[in-house]
Amino acid sequence: MPSYTYDDFVKAANQKGLFQEFSQADLQTAQRYPEFGMSILGLKEDIHKATTPEAKLLANEMANQLRSSYGGYTGGKYGADYISDGKIPNQIDSVLDKINGFGSFNFDQERPSYENQYAEQQQALLDAIINRPDFSWSKEDDPQWSSYKKSYLREGDRATANALGQAAAASGGRPSTAALTAATQAGDYYATQLNDIIPTLYQQAYDRYLNEYNMSLQDLNAVNTQEQLDYTKYLDQLGQFNTDRNFAFNQYLSDFDILQDKLSALQGQDSVDFDRYWNGQQLQREDAMAQQQLAQGQVDAILSAGGSPSADLVGASGYTTEYVQALQAAYQRQLAARSGSGGSSSGSRSGSSGGGDSADYDGLFAAALESGHPKSFIANNYKKYGFTSQTGLSDEYEEWALGQEEKAGRPVENSLAMNPDSFRAFGQSIAAQLAAGGENAALGNIESRWGELSESQRAQIQQLLRRYGLEYEE
Protein backbone atom coordinates (compact mmCIF):
# COMPACT_ATOMS: atom_id res chain seq x y z
CA MET A 1 0.00 0.00 0.00
CA PRO A 2 1.44 3.40 -0.96
CA SER A 3 2.34 5.75 1.89
CA TYR A 4 0.42 9.02 1.90
CA THR A 5 0.74 12.26 3.84
CA TYR A 6 -1.93 14.73 4.81
CA ASP A 7 -0.49 17.19 2.28
CA ASP A 8 -1.00 14.56 -0.41
CA PHE A 9 -4.65 14.36 0.57
CA VAL A 10 -5.08 18.17 0.62
CA LYS A 11 -3.38 18.52 -2.75
CA ALA A 12 -5.46 15.79 -4.35
CA ALA A 13 -8.70 17.17 -2.84
CA ASN A 14 -7.93 20.68 -4.13
CA GLN A 15 -7.07 19.39 -7.59
CA LYS A 16 -10.40 17.61 -7.75
CA GLY A 17 -12.24 20.63 -6.33
CA LEU A 18 -13.60 18.60 -3.41
CA PHE A 19 -11.64 19.94 -0.45
CA GLN A 20 -14.47 22.25 0.67
CA GLU A 21 -16.86 19.30 0.97
CA PHE A 22 -15.01 17.63 3.84
CA SER A 23 -16.17 18.25 7.41
CA GLN A 24 -13.82 19.24 10.19
CA ALA A 25 -14.13 15.71 11.57
CA ASP A 26 -13.07 14.28 8.21
CA LEU A 27 -10.07 16.61 8.02
CA GLN A 28 -8.98 15.85 11.57
CA THR A 29 -9.27 12.12 10.90
CA ALA A 30 -7.32 12.54 7.66
CA GLN A 31 -4.57 14.33 9.58
CA ARG A 32 -4.24 11.31 11.87
CA TYR A 33 -4.73 8.76 9.11
CA PRO A 34 -3.75 10.12 5.65
CA GLU A 35 -4.81 6.83 4.04
CA PHE A 36 -8.32 7.53 5.36
CA GLY A 37 -8.24 10.89 3.61
CA MET A 38 -7.28 9.37 0.28
CA SER A 39 -9.89 6.62 0.63
CA ILE A 40 -12.76 8.94 1.51
CA LEU A 41 -11.70 11.29 -1.28
CA GLY A 42 -12.22 8.41 -3.67
CA LEU A 43 -15.66 7.79 -2.20
CA LYS A 44 -16.51 11.48 -2.56
CA GLU A 45 -15.68 11.16 -6.25
CA ASP A 46 -17.90 8.10 -6.47
CA ILE A 47 -20.77 10.08 -4.93
CA HIS A 48 -20.35 12.83 -7.52
CA LYS A 49 -20.06 10.36 -10.38
CA ALA A 50 -23.07 8.31 -9.26
CA THR A 51 -25.96 8.59 -11.69
CA THR A 52 -28.69 7.11 -9.50
CA PRO A 53 -29.85 7.87 -5.92
CA GLU A 54 -29.12 4.26 -5.00
CA ALA A 55 -25.52 4.56 -6.13
CA LYS A 56 -25.06 7.81 -4.21
CA LEU A 57 -26.57 6.23 -1.11
CA LEU A 58 -24.27 3.21 -1.40
CA ALA A 59 -21.16 5.38 -1.79
CA ASN A 60 -22.17 7.56 1.17
CA GLU A 61 -22.84 4.47 3.30
CA MET A 62 -19.37 3.15 2.46
CA ALA A 63 -17.95 6.56 3.42
CA ASN A 64 -19.79 6.44 6.75
CA GLN A 65 -18.46 2.94 7.41
CA LEU A 66 -14.98 4.26 6.74
CA ARG A 67 -15.55 7.18 9.14
CA SER A 68 -16.85 4.82 11.80
CA SER A 69 -13.88 2.50 11.37
CA TYR A 70 -11.23 5.23 11.65
CA GLY A 71 -12.86 7.92 13.79
CA GLY A 72 -15.89 6.42 15.54
CA TYR A 73 -18.41 8.72 13.86
CA THR A 74 -20.58 9.02 10.75
CA GLY A 75 -21.35 11.95 8.50
CA GLY A 76 -25.09 11.56 8.16
CA LYS A 77 -27.07 11.47 4.93
CA TYR A 78 -24.83 13.94 3.10
CA GLY A 79 -21.53 13.32 4.85
CA ALA A 80 -21.35 16.83 6.35
CA ASP A 81 -22.66 16.04 9.85
CA TYR A 82 -20.93 14.65 12.89
CA ILE A 83 -22.79 11.77 14.50
CA SER A 84 -20.70 10.01 17.09
CA ASP A 85 -21.09 6.27 17.41
CA GLY A 86 -18.85 6.24 20.46
CA LYS A 87 -19.60 5.80 24.14
CA ILE A 88 -21.61 8.92 24.94
CA PRO A 89 -24.54 8.40 22.52
CA ASN A 90 -24.75 4.74 23.55
CA GLN A 91 -24.71 5.72 27.20
CA ILE A 92 -27.41 8.34 26.61
CA ASP A 93 -29.62 5.72 24.98
CA SER A 94 -28.96 3.31 27.83
CA VAL A 95 -29.87 5.89 30.48
CA LEU A 96 -32.99 6.92 28.57
CA ASP A 97 -34.07 3.28 28.43
CA LYS A 98 -33.64 3.03 32.19
CA ILE A 99 -35.62 6.24 32.77
CA ASN A 100 -38.43 5.13 30.48
CA GLY A 101 -38.59 1.78 32.25
CA PHE A 102 -38.18 3.18 35.74
CA GLY A 103 -41.84 2.67 36.58
CA SER A 104 -43.93 4.12 39.40
CA PHE A 105 -43.11 3.82 43.09
CA ASN A 106 -44.24 0.57 44.70
CA PHE A 107 -43.90 -0.42 48.37
CA ASP A 108 -44.70 -4.10 48.86
CA GLN A 109 -45.10 -4.10 52.66
CA GLU A 110 -48.67 -4.30 53.98
CA ARG A 111 -49.84 -1.29 55.89
CA PRO A 112 -50.70 -2.24 59.52
CA SER A 113 -54.34 -1.89 60.57
CA TYR A 114 -55.99 -1.55 63.98
CA GLU A 115 -59.12 -3.15 65.33
CA ASN A 116 -60.19 -2.69 68.99
CA GLN A 117 -60.88 -6.22 70.27
CA TYR A 118 -62.10 -4.84 73.64
CA ALA A 119 -64.72 -2.53 72.23
CA GLU A 120 -67.71 -4.66 73.35
CA GLN A 121 -66.30 -5.17 76.85
CA GLN A 122 -65.54 -1.48 77.20
CA GLN A 123 -69.03 -0.55 76.15
CA ALA A 124 -70.64 -3.10 78.45
CA LEU A 125 -68.59 -2.01 81.47
CA LEU A 126 -69.20 1.63 80.71
CA ASP A 127 -72.94 1.05 80.36
CA ALA A 128 -73.00 -0.82 83.68
CA ILE A 129 -71.22 2.01 85.46
CA ILE A 130 -73.25 4.79 83.89
CA ASN A 131 -76.57 2.98 84.36
CA ARG A 132 -75.82 1.69 87.85
CA PRO A 133 -78.96 2.17 90.16
CA ASP A 134 -78.81 4.55 93.08
CA PHE A 135 -78.00 3.11 96.50
CA SER A 136 -80.98 1.98 98.59
CA TRP A 137 -81.19 -0.20 101.70
CA SER A 138 -83.90 -1.82 103.75
CA LYS A 139 -83.23 -3.85 106.88
CA GLU A 140 -85.93 -6.29 105.89
CA ASP A 141 -84.10 -6.94 102.60
CA ASP A 142 -80.74 -7.24 104.32
CA PRO A 143 -79.95 -10.92 105.05
CA GLN A 144 -77.69 -9.92 107.92
CA TRP A 145 -80.55 -8.08 109.65
CA SER A 146 -82.63 -11.23 109.74
CA SER A 147 -79.70 -13.16 111.16
CA TYR A 148 -78.94 -10.51 113.71
CA LYS A 149 -82.63 -10.23 114.62
CA LYS A 150 -83.00 -13.96 115.30
CA SER A 151 -79.84 -14.00 117.33
CA TYR A 152 -80.65 -10.95 119.43
CA LEU A 153 -84.30 -12.03 120.02
CA ARG A 154 -83.14 -15.46 121.08
CA GLU A 155 -80.59 -13.97 123.44
CA GLY A 156 -83.21 -11.50 124.75
CA ASP A 157 -85.65 -14.34 125.48
CA ARG A 158 -82.90 -16.28 127.17
CA ALA A 159 -81.85 -13.24 129.25
CA THR A 160 -85.52 -12.60 130.21
CA ALA A 161 -86.00 -16.22 131.22
CA ASN A 162 -82.81 -16.26 133.24
CA ALA A 163 -83.79 -13.02 135.00
CA LEU A 164 -87.22 -14.47 135.92
CA GLY A 165 -85.65 -17.71 137.08
CA GLN A 166 -83.15 -16.01 139.28
CA ALA A 167 -85.79 -13.68 140.73
CA ALA A 168 -88.14 -16.63 141.48
CA ALA A 169 -85.38 -18.54 143.18
CA ALA A 170 -84.58 -15.56 145.32
CA SER A 171 -88.24 -15.08 146.36
CA GLY A 172 -89.07 -18.68 146.97
CA GLY A 173 -90.82 -19.10 143.70
CA ARG A 174 -93.14 -16.22 144.14
CA PRO A 175 -93.38 -13.70 141.29
CA SER A 176 -92.52 -10.17 142.20
CA THR A 177 -92.42 -6.79 140.62
CA ALA A 178 -88.63 -6.67 140.88
CA ALA A 179 -88.36 -9.96 139.03
CA LEU A 180 -90.58 -8.72 136.22
CA THR A 181 -88.62 -5.50 136.04
CA ALA A 182 -85.32 -7.35 135.86
CA ALA A 183 -86.66 -9.72 133.17
CA THR A 184 -87.99 -6.79 131.13
CA GLN A 185 -84.71 -4.93 131.39
CA ALA A 186 -82.81 -7.97 130.20
CA GLY A 187 -85.09 -8.34 127.14
CA ASP A 188 -84.94 -4.60 126.39
CA TYR A 189 -81.16 -4.67 126.43
CA TYR A 190 -81.04 -7.16 123.60
CA ALA A 191 -83.76 -5.29 121.71
CA THR A 192 -81.70 -2.13 122.05
CA GLN A 193 -78.61 -3.98 120.84
CA LEU A 194 -80.57 -5.18 117.80
CA ASN A 195 -81.58 -1.61 116.90
CA ASP A 196 -78.04 -0.37 117.38
CA ILE A 197 -76.81 -2.75 114.69
CA ILE A 198 -78.97 -1.09 111.99
CA PRO A 199 -76.49 1.78 111.16
CA THR A 200 -73.71 -0.72 110.96
CA LEU A 201 -75.66 -2.87 108.53
CA TYR A 202 -76.52 0.18 106.49
CA GLN A 203 -72.87 1.28 106.31
CA GLN A 204 -71.83 -2.19 105.40
CA ALA A 205 -74.39 -2.31 102.61
CA TYR A 206 -73.27 1.11 101.35
CA ASP A 207 -69.63 0.03 101.51
CA ARG A 208 -70.50 -3.01 99.43
CA TYR A 209 -72.26 -0.75 96.92
CA LEU A 210 -69.20 1.51 96.66
CA ASN A 211 -66.85 -1.45 96.47
CA GLU A 212 -68.83 -2.95 93.60
CA TYR A 213 -68.74 0.45 91.83
CA ASN A 214 -64.99 0.75 92.31
CA MET A 215 -64.49 -2.80 91.12
CA SER A 216 -66.43 -2.00 87.95
CA LEU A 217 -64.26 1.08 87.42
CA GLN A 218 -61.13 -0.99 87.90
CA ASP A 219 -62.38 -3.55 85.39
CA LEU A 220 -63.04 -0.77 82.88
CA ASN A 221 -59.62 0.77 83.53
CA ALA A 222 -57.93 -2.58 83.12
CA VAL A 223 -59.66 -3.16 79.78
CA ASN A 224 -58.89 0.42 78.68
CA THR A 225 -55.24 0.02 79.66
CA GLN A 226 -54.89 -3.16 77.63
CA GLU A 227 -56.64 -1.58 74.67
CA GLN A 228 -54.32 1.43 74.92
CA LEU A 229 -51.32 -0.89 74.93
CA ASP A 230 -52.62 -2.55 71.79
CA TYR A 231 -53.18 0.85 70.13
CA THR A 232 -49.73 2.04 71.14
CA LYS A 233 -48.29 -1.09 69.57
CA TYR A 234 -50.27 -0.36 66.41
CA LEU A 235 -48.96 3.22 66.35
CA ASP A 236 -45.39 1.92 66.65
CA GLN A 237 -45.98 -0.48 63.78
CA LEU A 238 -47.59 2.27 61.70
CA GLY A 239 -44.70 4.62 62.43
CA GLN A 240 -42.19 1.99 61.38
CA PHE A 241 -44.20 1.29 58.26
CA ASN A 242 -44.22 4.99 57.34
CA THR A 243 -40.50 5.25 58.08
CA ASP A 244 -39.74 2.27 55.87
CA ARG A 245 -42.01 3.54 53.10
CA ASN A 246 -40.50 7.05 53.22
CA PHE A 247 -37.02 5.58 53.12
CA ALA A 248 -37.96 3.42 50.14
CA PHE A 249 -39.59 6.41 48.38
CA ASN A 250 -36.55 8.62 49.00
CA GLN A 251 -34.35 5.85 47.65
CA TYR A 252 -36.65 5.65 44.62
CA LEU A 253 -36.34 9.40 44.05
CA SER A 254 -32.59 9.28 44.63
CA ASP A 255 -32.14 6.54 42.06
CA PHE A 256 -34.27 8.49 39.58
CA ASP A 257 -32.35 11.72 40.27
CA ILE A 258 -29.08 9.88 39.73
CA LEU A 259 -30.30 8.75 36.32
CA GLN A 260 -31.45 12.28 35.51
CA ASP A 261 -28.12 13.76 36.61
CA LYS A 262 -26.25 11.16 34.60
CA LEU A 263 -28.40 11.90 31.56
CA SER A 264 -27.81 15.65 31.97
CA ALA A 265 -24.07 15.11 32.28
CA LEU A 266 -23.97 12.91 29.19
CA GLN A 267 -26.14 15.29 27.20
CA GLY A 268 -23.99 18.20 28.35
CA GLN A 269 -20.82 16.43 27.22
CA ASP A 270 -22.48 15.48 23.95
CA SER A 271 -23.45 19.11 23.48
CA VAL A 272 -19.88 20.18 24.21
CA ASP A 273 -18.61 17.70 21.65
CA PHE A 274 -21.10 18.91 19.08
CA ASP A 275 -20.29 22.58 19.78
CA ARG A 276 -16.62 21.80 19.45
CA TYR A 277 -17.33 20.07 16.16
CA TRP A 278 -19.58 22.88 14.94
CA ASN A 279 -17.08 25.57 15.91
CA GLY A 280 -14.41 23.60 14.10
CA GLN A 281 -16.67 23.45 11.07
CA GLN A 282 -17.20 27.20 11.22
CA LEU A 283 -13.50 27.88 11.56
CA GLN A 284 -12.79 25.48 8.76
CA ARG A 285 -15.32 27.18 6.49
CA GLU A 286 -14.02 30.63 7.35
CA ASP A 287 -10.42 29.57 6.92
CA ALA A 288 -11.24 27.78 3.68
CA MET A 289 -13.06 30.85 2.39
CA ALA A 290 -10.16 33.07 3.38
CA GLN A 291 -7.73 30.68 1.72
CA GLN A 292 -9.89 30.57 -1.40
CA GLN A 293 -10.18 34.34 -1.56
CA LEU A 294 -6.47 34.66 -0.99
CA ALA A 295 -5.84 32.19 -3.80
CA GLN A 296 -8.29 34.07 -6.03
CA GLY A 297 -6.45 37.29 -5.39
CA GLN A 298 -3.16 35.61 -6.24
CA VAL A 299 -4.59 34.15 -9.45
CA ASP A 300 -5.94 37.57 -10.43
CA ALA A 301 -2.59 39.20 -9.65
CA ILE A 302 -0.61 36.62 -11.65
CA LEU A 303 -2.98 36.86 -14.62
CA SER A 304 -2.99 40.67 -14.53
CA ALA A 305 0.81 40.57 -14.62
CA GLY A 306 0.71 38.31 -17.69
CA GLY A 307 1.75 35.14 -15.85
CA SER A 308 0.18 31.70 -15.60
CA PRO A 309 -0.88 30.47 -12.12
CA SER A 310 -0.11 26.88 -11.16
CA ALA A 311 -2.76 24.18 -11.23
CA ASP A 312 -2.57 23.92 -7.43
CA LEU A 313 -3.23 27.63 -7.04
CA VAL A 314 -6.12 27.53 -9.51
CA GLY A 315 -7.59 24.54 -7.68
CA ALA A 316 -7.30 26.34 -4.33
CA SER A 317 -9.02 29.42 -5.76
CA GLY A 318 -12.13 27.48 -6.77
CA TYR A 319 -12.00 28.98 -10.26
CA THR A 320 -12.93 26.71 -13.11
CA THR A 321 -10.42 26.21 -15.91
CA GLU A 322 -12.75 27.98 -18.35
CA TYR A 323 -13.02 31.01 -16.10
CA VAL A 324 -9.25 31.25 -15.64
CA GLN A 325 -8.73 30.98 -19.39
CA ALA A 326 -11.29 33.69 -20.06
CA LEU A 327 -9.77 35.93 -17.37
CA GLN A 328 -6.29 35.30 -18.76
CA ALA A 329 -7.45 36.22 -22.28
CA ALA A 330 -9.04 39.40 -20.98
CA TYR A 331 -5.84 40.44 -19.20
CA GLN A 332 -3.79 39.64 -22.29
CA ARG A 333 -6.07 41.82 -24.40
CA GLN A 334 -5.73 44.55 -21.81
CA LEU A 335 -1.93 44.30 -21.83
CA ALA A 336 -1.91 44.28 -25.61
CA ALA A 337 -4.05 47.41 -25.67
CA ARG A 338 -1.69 49.13 -23.27
CA SER A 339 1.31 48.14 -25.34
CA GLY A 340 -0.39 49.46 -28.47
CA SER A 341 -1.01 52.85 -26.85
CA GLY A 342 2.56 53.18 -25.61
CA GLY A 343 1.54 52.77 -21.98
CA SER A 344 -0.14 56.16 -21.91
CA SER A 345 -2.47 56.75 -19.04
CA SER A 346 -4.79 58.71 -21.27
CA GLY A 347 -6.51 58.23 -24.55
CA SER A 348 -8.39 55.23 -25.84
CA ARG A 349 -7.98 51.97 -23.95
CA SER A 350 -9.51 48.57 -24.47
CA GLY A 351 -9.49 45.93 -21.78
CA SER A 352 -11.58 43.58 -19.75
CA SER A 353 -13.45 46.58 -18.41
CA GLY A 354 -15.20 46.99 -21.72
CA GLY A 355 -13.91 50.51 -22.21
CA GLY A 356 -14.21 51.69 -25.85
CA ASP A 357 -13.28 54.97 -27.52
CA SER A 358 -15.80 56.78 -25.36
CA ALA A 359 -14.38 55.42 -22.10
CA ASP A 360 -12.81 58.14 -19.98
CA TYR A 361 -10.07 56.46 -17.96
CA ASP A 362 -8.43 59.65 -16.74
CA GLY A 363 -11.76 61.21 -15.76
CA LEU A 364 -12.84 58.11 -13.81
CA PHE A 365 -9.46 57.64 -12.09
CA ALA A 366 -9.09 61.34 -11.22
CA ALA A 367 -12.56 61.41 -9.69
CA ALA A 368 -11.82 58.17 -7.84
CA LEU A 369 -8.59 59.64 -6.43
CA GLU A 370 -10.39 62.76 -5.29
CA SER A 371 -13.14 60.71 -3.57
CA GLY A 372 -10.68 59.17 -1.13
CA HIS A 373 -12.24 55.75 -1.68
CA PRO A 374 -11.13 54.92 -5.19
CA LYS A 375 -12.23 51.29 -5.35
CA SER A 376 -15.72 51.98 -4.07
CA PHE A 377 -16.02 55.00 -6.38
CA ILE A 378 -14.97 52.96 -9.41
CA ALA A 379 -17.36 50.12 -8.54
CA ASN A 380 -20.30 52.53 -8.24
CA ASN A 381 -19.54 54.97 -11.10
CA TYR A 382 -17.71 53.12 -13.89
CA LYS A 383 -20.74 53.17 -16.20
CA LYS A 384 -20.94 56.98 -15.99
CA TYR A 385 -17.52 57.17 -17.64
CA GLY A 386 -18.35 54.91 -20.57
CA PHE A 387 -17.34 51.49 -19.20
CA THR A 388 -19.48 48.37 -19.48
CA SER A 389 -17.58 46.37 -16.83
CA GLN A 390 -15.45 47.16 -13.82
CA THR A 391 -13.19 44.11 -14.25
CA GLY A 392 -9.54 45.16 -14.15
CA LEU A 393 -10.28 48.84 -13.48
CA SER A 394 -8.94 48.69 -9.90
CA ASP A 395 -5.60 47.36 -11.09
CA GLU A 396 -5.49 49.93 -13.89
CA TYR A 397 -6.26 52.63 -11.37
CA GLU A 398 -3.25 51.58 -9.28
CA GLU A 399 -1.01 51.82 -12.33
CA TRP A 400 -2.53 55.22 -13.19
CA ALA A 401 -2.02 56.46 -9.63
CA LEU A 402 1.60 55.30 -9.69
CA GLY A 403 2.06 57.17 -12.93
CA GLN A 404 0.58 60.29 -11.39
CA GLU A 405 3.01 60.07 -8.47
CA GLU A 406 5.93 59.60 -10.80
CA LYS A 407 4.87 62.66 -12.79
CA ALA A 408 4.60 64.67 -9.59
CA GLY A 409 8.12 63.66 -8.63
CA ARG A 410 7.00 61.88 -5.49
CA PRO A 411 8.59 58.59 -4.40
CA VAL A 412 6.60 55.61 -5.57
CA GLU A 413 5.67 53.24 -2.78
CA ASN A 414 4.98 49.56 -3.33
CA SER A 415 6.00 49.75 -6.96
CA LEU A 416 7.03 46.13 -6.65
CA ALA A 417 4.62 43.55 -5.31
CA MET A 418 5.67 40.57 -3.21
CA ASN A 419 6.44 37.49 -5.26
CA PRO A 420 3.16 35.55 -5.78
CA ASP A 421 4.48 32.36 -4.18
CA SER A 422 5.89 34.30 -1.25
CA PHE A 423 2.64 36.22 -0.89
CA ARG A 424 0.65 32.99 -0.93
CA ALA A 425 2.80 31.54 1.85
CA PHE A 426 2.58 34.82 3.75
CA GLY A 427 -1.22 34.89 3.44
CA GLN A 428 -1.53 31.26 4.57
CA SER A 429 0.62 32.03 7.60
CA ILE A 430 -1.60 34.98 8.56
CA ALA A 431 -4.76 32.90 8.08
CA ALA A 432 -3.36 30.10 10.25
CA GLN A 433 -2.42 32.53 13.04
CA LEU A 434 -5.88 34.10 12.97
CA ALA A 435 -7.63 30.73 12.97
CA ALA A 436 -5.59 29.70 16.02
CA GLY A 437 -6.55 32.89 17.89
CA GLY A 438 -3.14 34.53 17.51
CA GLU A 439 -4.41 37.98 16.49
CA ASN A 440 -1.42 39.84 17.93
CA ALA A 441 1.01 37.49 16.23
CA ALA A 442 -0.80 37.93 12.91
CA LEU A 443 -0.79 41.74 13.19
CA GLY A 444 2.90 41.70 14.11
CA ASN A 445 3.65 39.53 11.10
CA ILE A 446 1.75 41.94 8.85
CA GLU A 447 3.57 44.93 10.38
CA SER A 448 6.95 43.41 9.58
CA ARG A 449 6.19 42.90 5.88
CA TRP A 450 3.57 45.54 5.07
CA GLY A 451 6.09 47.56 3.07
CA GLU A 452 6.67 44.63 0.73
CA LEU A 453 3.02 44.43 -0.40
CA SER A 454 1.32 46.03 -3.37
CA GLU A 455 -1.98 47.84 -2.98
CA SER A 456 -3.81 44.79 -4.28
CA GLN A 457 -1.99 42.49 -1.88
CA ARG A 458 -2.65 44.85 1.01
CA ALA A 459 -6.34 44.89 0.12
CA GLN A 460 -6.39 41.09 0.20
CA ILE A 461 -4.75 41.02 3.63
CA GLN A 462 -7.22 43.61 4.94
CA GLN A 463 -10.09 41.53 3.59
CA LEU A 464 -8.74 38.50 5.42
CA LEU A 465 -8.44 40.52 8.66
CA ARG A 466 -11.99 41.84 8.39
CA ARG A 467 -13.32 38.29 8.54
CA TYR A 468 -12.02 38.22 12.11
CA GLY A 469 -13.24 41.73 12.96
CA LEU A 470 -9.77 43.27 12.55
CA GLU A 471 -8.10 45.85 10.33
CA TYR A 472 -4.45 46.76 10.01
CA GLU A 473 -3.55 50.43 10.47
CA GLU A 474 -0.16 51.74 9.37
Side-chain angles (χ1 to χ4, degrees), residues 86-360:
K87 293 181 178 180
I88 289 181
N90 291 336
Q91 289 179 346
I92 289 177
D93 291 341
S94 176
V95 174
L96 281 174
D97 289 341
K98 291 180 180 178
I99 290 176
N100 291 332
F102 201 73
S104 58
F105 174 70
N106 182 35
F107 189 60
D108 56 4
Q109 290 187 21
E110 183 179 356
R111 179 187 179 92
S113 59
Y114 177 75
E115 181 179 357
N116 183 7
Q117 59 180 328
Y118 300 100
E120 293 183 2
Q121 288 179 273
Q122 288 174 314
Q123 189 61 47
L125 289 170
L126 184 61
D127 288 345
I129 292 173
I130 294 175
N131 298 320
R132 185 178 183 84
D134 295 336
F135 175 76
S136 63
W137 181 81
S138 172
K139 63 184 180 195
E140 284 75 12
D141 297 330
D142 191 335
Q144 293 188 60
W145 167 257
S146 177
S147 175
Y148 276 114
K149 181 177 180 181
K150 290 178 181 180
S151 176
Y152 276 94
L153 290 177
R154 183 175 59 251
E155 292 300 324
D157 291 342
R158 183 180 299 141
T160 299
N162 289 336
L164 288 175
Q166 291 174 359
S171 61
R174 290 189 303 273
S176 63
T177 303
L180 290 174
T181 300
T184 300
Q185 289 178 344
D188 291 342
Y189 172 78
Y190 282 97
T192 301
Q193 289 293 314
L194 177 60
N195 290 329
D196 290 342
I197 203 67
I198 290 175
T200 300
L201 294 178
Y202 178 89
Q203 186 62 45
Q204 288 178 350
Y206 186 70
D207 289 342
R208 287 194 301 273
Y209 175 84
L210 291 179
N211 186 58
E212 290 175 0
Y213 178 76
N214 290 329
M215 290 295 293
S216 296
L217 287 178
Q218 291 178 8
D219 290 343
L220 179 60
N221 289 336
V223 172
N224 286 341
T225 299
Q226 187 59 49
E227 189 273 335
Q228 190 62 40
L229 290 175
D230 289 352
Y231 187 72
T232 300
K233 182 179 180 180
Y234 157 75
L235 291 179
D236 291 342
Q237 293 173 343
L238 180 62
Q240 187 62 48
F241 170 84
N242 290 332
T243 299
D244 294 343
R245 186 185 59 179
N246 291 338
F247 178 83
F249 183 69
N250 290 333
Q251 187 64 46
Y252 168 85
L253 293 179
S254 178
D255 292 343
F256 188 78
D257 289 343
I258 289 173
L259 287 176
Q260 290 280 27
D261 292 343
K262 187 174 182 180
L263 178 62
S264 298
L266 290 172
Q267 289 175 333
Q269 184 59 47
D270 189 56
S271 178
V272 168
D273 291 345
F274 178 79
D275 289 343
R276 186 182 296 117
Y277 157 75
W278 182 253
N279 291 336
Q281 287 285 84
Q282 289 292 100
L283 291 175
Q284 177 196 353
R285 284 191 287 269
E286 292 174 1
D287 183 59
M289 185 176 293
Q291 293 287 350
Q292 186 181 55
Q293 291 177 346
L294 186 62
Q296 290 174 355
Q298 292 171 355
V299 170
D300 291 341
I302 293 173
L303 292 175
S304 66
S308 297
S310 66
D312 289 348
L313 184 58
V314 173
S317 70
Y319 287 159
T320 63
T321 303
E322 292 79 4
Y323 179 79
V324 172
Q325 291 175 350
L327 194 60
Q328 188 175 34
Y331 279 126
Q332 288 175 351
R333 288 194 301 270
Q334 189 179 53
L335 289 174
R338 291 176 186 171
S339 299
S341 62
S344 173
S345 62
S346 63
S348 175
R349 303 189 189 190
S350 176
S352 59
S353 61
D357 293 339
S358 62
D360 184 2

